C-alpha cells in the first residue's frame, strides 16, 4: 500500500508539471487596457508583436462639448493609442490634430468610423513612426516672441512671416484672432507667436535689424508689430501668456 501511495504521488507531480509546461507553450493572448483622462479615451496594447501603423488624424467640426472625446473614442474602439496631439478653436469651429498608433488591420475600419461621424470631418495620413526616424534636433541659437495688433488686411500673415523667413527664423507656435474693436466697429486683428533660429547663426544675423524691419512693416500696415527676445525656458509661458 505504501509503494502504491508513492507511485500515485509521483504520477500526480508529473501530470502537474505537464500541465504547467503546456500552459507555457500556448501563445499569449493580447490584452488591452483602457484609461480615461480629461474626457478623452486612450488605449494601449500590452503585446509588442502586433504590426502597428502610425497615422496622423486631422479632424474639425463645429465647437461643442465632447468633440475631442468622441473623436478619440473612435481610435480607442479600434485598439489604437493617441500620442502627440494639438487642438484649438477656430471661430465657431474646433480642430484637433493627433498622431496615433494602431494595428494596420484596423486602419480601414477607423477611416470608416471617422467618416460616419455626422458633425466632424476627418482626414487620415499614414506616416513613418517617429521611432524609425533618425532625427537630430538642432540646437536653438535665438528665440523671439512676435506680436501684432491692428486692422485686418488681406495677406497680413504672409507679409509678417515672410520677414521672419527671410532672416532664417522658423515659427514654433503661432496664433491669430479677429475681433470687433470697441469703438468704430473696425475689425481688430491680433497675431502672436514664437520663432527660432538654429545654430550655427550666420554672421549677418542681427535681431535688432529684424525688429527694425518688422517695425517698418507695422508702420506700412498701420499696426503695432514687435519682436522681443526670449529665453528658452520661457517659451511656453510667453506664448500662452501665463
Amino acid at each position: 500500500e505504501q509503494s502504491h501511495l508513492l507511485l500515485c504521488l509521483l504520477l500526480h507531480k508529473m501530470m502537474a508539471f505537464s500541465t504547467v509546461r503546456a500552459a507555457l507553450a500556448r501563445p499569449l493572448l493580447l490584452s488591452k487596457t483602457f484609461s480615461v483622462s480629461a474626457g478623452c479615451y486612450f488605449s494601449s496594447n500590452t503585446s509588442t508583436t502586433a504590426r502597428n501603423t502610425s497615422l496622423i488624424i486631422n479632424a474639425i467640426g463645429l465647437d461643442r462639448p465632447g468633440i475631442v472625446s468622441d473623436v478619440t473614442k473612435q481610435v480607442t474602439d479600434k485598439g489604437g493609442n493617441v500620442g502627440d496631439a494639438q487642438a484649438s478653436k477656430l471661430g465657431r469651429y474646433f480642430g484637433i490634430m493627433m498622431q496615433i498608433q494602431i494595428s494596420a488591420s484596423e486602419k480601414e475600419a477607423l477611416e470608416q468610423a471617422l467618416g460616419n461621424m455626422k458633425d466632424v470631418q476627418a482626414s487620415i495620413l499614414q506616416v513613418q513612426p517617429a521611432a524609425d526616424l533618425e532625427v537630430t534636433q538642432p540646437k536653438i541659437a535665438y528665440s523671439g516672441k512676435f506680436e501684432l495688433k491692428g486692422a485686418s488686411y488681406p495677406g497680413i500673415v504672409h507679409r509678417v512671416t515672410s520677414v521672419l523667413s527671410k532672416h532664417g527664423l522658423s515659427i514654433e507656435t503661432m496664433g491669430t484672432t479677429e475681433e470687433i474693436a470697441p469703438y468704430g466697429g473696425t475689425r481688430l486683428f491680433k497675431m502672436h507667436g514664437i520663432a527660432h533660429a538654429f545654430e550655427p547663426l550666420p554672421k549677418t544675423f542681427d535681431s535688432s535689424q529684424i525688429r527694425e524691419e518688422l517695425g517698418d512693416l507695422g508702420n506700412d500696415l498701420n499696426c503695432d508689430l514687435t519682436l522681443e527676445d526670449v529665453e528658452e525656458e520661457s517659451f511656453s509661458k510667453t506664448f500662452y501668456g501665463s
Side-chain angles (χ1 to χ4, degrees), residues 22-226:
L24 292 175
R26 296 193 195 103
L28 293 176
L29 296 177
L30 296 180
S31 62
K32 185 180 293 182
T33 58
F34 293 91
S35 61
V36 180
S37 174
C40 300
Y41 296 83
F42 300 90
S43 67
S44 60
N45 287 330
T46 57
S47 170
T48 59
T49 58
R51 191 172 74 88
N52 285 344
T53 185
S54 184
L55 306 175
I56 289 181
I57 298 176
N58 188 22
I60 189 169
L62 287 172
D63 188 30
R64 61 170 175 80
I67 185 171
V68 176
S69 176
D70 290 346
V71 173
T72 53
K73 185 177 185 299
Q74 306 304 319
V75 177
T76 294
D77 287 348
K78 300 299 179 291
N81 183 55
V82 178
D84 294 339
Q86 292 186 0
S88 62
K89 185 178 179 182
L90 304 171
R92 297 172 55 212
Y93 295 90
F94 187 89
I96 179 170
M97 182 171 64
M98 55 189 175
Q99 185 168 5
I100 72 164
Q101 296 291 325
I102 193 170
S103 172
S105 61
E106 293 290 342
K107 177 177 177 288
E108 186 174 343
L110 176 61
E111 289 178 332
Q112 184 175 357
L114 291 171
N116 290 336
M117 298 184 69
K118 295 182 179 179
D119 61 346
V120 174
Q121 292 183 336
S123 60
I124 295 181
L125 175 66
Q126 185 168 345
V127 295
Q128 189 174 357
D132 296 343
L133 299 174
E134 294 184 3
V135 179
T136 302
Q137 185 66 29
K139 187 174 181 180
I140 296 173
Y142 169 83
S143 291
K145 173 188 175 184
F146 57 93
E147 283 189 304
L148 179 148
K149 296 179 182 178
S152 179
Y153 290 100
I156 190 171
V157 174
H158 169 67
R159 295 189 66 178
V160 173
T161 55
S162 293
V163 173
L164 300 176
S165 176
K166 170 186 172 183
H167 292 276
L169 291 173
S170 176
I171 295 175
E172 174 74 11
T173 54
M174 188 183 77
T176 64
T177 58
E178 267 193 348
E179 57 189 55
I180 302 298
Y183 304 101
T186 305
R187 297 194 70 84
L188 182 64
F189 184 81
K190 295 182 178 180
M191 176 180 179
H192 65 288
I194 299 292
H196 300 317
F198 301 101
E199 292 185 350
L201 284 177
K203 294 181 179 180
T204 56
F205 184 87
D206 185 354
S207 60
S208 60
Q209 181 182 350
I210 304 174
R211 270 191 291 273
E212 183 178 349
E213 192 168 337
L214 288 174
D216 292 340
L217 176 60
N219 293 333
D220 185 37
L221 298 173
N222 193 26
C223 63
D224 296 326
L225 180 54
T226 61

